[in-house]
Amino acid sequence: MAQIPAELKYVASHEWIRDEGNGIVTVGITDFAQGELGDIVYVEVETLDETMDADEVFGSVEAVKTVSDLFLPLSGEIIAFNDSLESDPEKVNNDPYGEGWMIKIKISNPEEIENLLDEAGYKELVGA
């Protein structure tokens, strides 16, 4: 069964959010998502330093069998990309909530966090 940490927030497109404080959140894909995708071979994010709206595509993740878009869970500016994923994309498979994080966002609308799924809501979504 996929790990679904209680302290995180989630979106239906299978990204997770960790609130770092000071209007900064860290984003990655969930354990469920990486399990469905299989072995991840490439993570592409070309939107660093861009300000985007929630639900816009901020990048893509390529697995052996498929390519999947990554959707921004909250509006804001993408201020960091996990460069280590360029040489070691399997971190997303091995540690999706830790070393496999993807981006950090300086959020522009903190109220959007209230619209995200909690642990129970995400479990219901994925049938866990």
Side-chain angles (χ1 to χ4, degrees), residues 9-49:
K9 295 287 192 177
Y10 303 89
V11 291
S13 56
H14 306 290
E15 286 83 14
W16 58 262
I17 296 89
R18 177 183 299 114
D19 190 344
E20 305 293 351
N22 297 324
I24 307 295
V25 297
T26 300
V27 178
I29 64 169
T30 65
D31 190 33
F32 176 84
Q34 70 79 22
E36 292 292 302
L37 288 167
D39 291 338
I40 292 172
V41 296
Y42 189 68
V43 177
E44 180 177 56
V45 174
E46 294 182 347
T47 51
L48 187 60
D49 300 324

Side-chain angles (χ1 to χ4, degrees), residues 44-52 57-59 72 77-79 103:
E44 180 177 56
V45 174
E46 294 182 347
T47 51
L48 187 60
D49 300 324
E50 289 186 26
T51 299
M52 303 174 69
V57 174
F58 73 84
L72 204 63
E77 179 185 0
I78 299 173
I79 60 169
I103 61 169

Side-chain angles (χ1 to χ4, degrees), residues 54-65:
D55 301 323
E56 283 193 87
V57 174
F58 73 84
S60 63
V61 61
E62 183 177 339
V64 173
K65 296 182 255 178

Side-chain angles (χ1 to χ4, degrees), residues 8 11 13 18 23-24 37 43 49 59-61 63 74 84 90 92 99 102-103 109 111 117 120 125 128:
L8 303 178
V11 291
S13 56
R18 177 183 299 114
I24 307 295
L37 288 167
V43 177
D49 300 324
S60 63
V61 61
L74 300 165
S84 71
E90 59 272 10
V92 177
E99 290 186 9
M102 295 183 174
I103 61 169
N109 186 356
E111 293 80 36
L117 298 169
L125 177 76

Side-chain angles (χ1 to χ4, degrees), residues 88-103:
D88 202 1
E90 59 272 10
K91 285 182 179 180
V92 177
N93 292 116
N94 299 333
D95 191 10
Y97 302 115
E99 290 186 9
W101 68 273
M102 295 183 174
I103 61 169

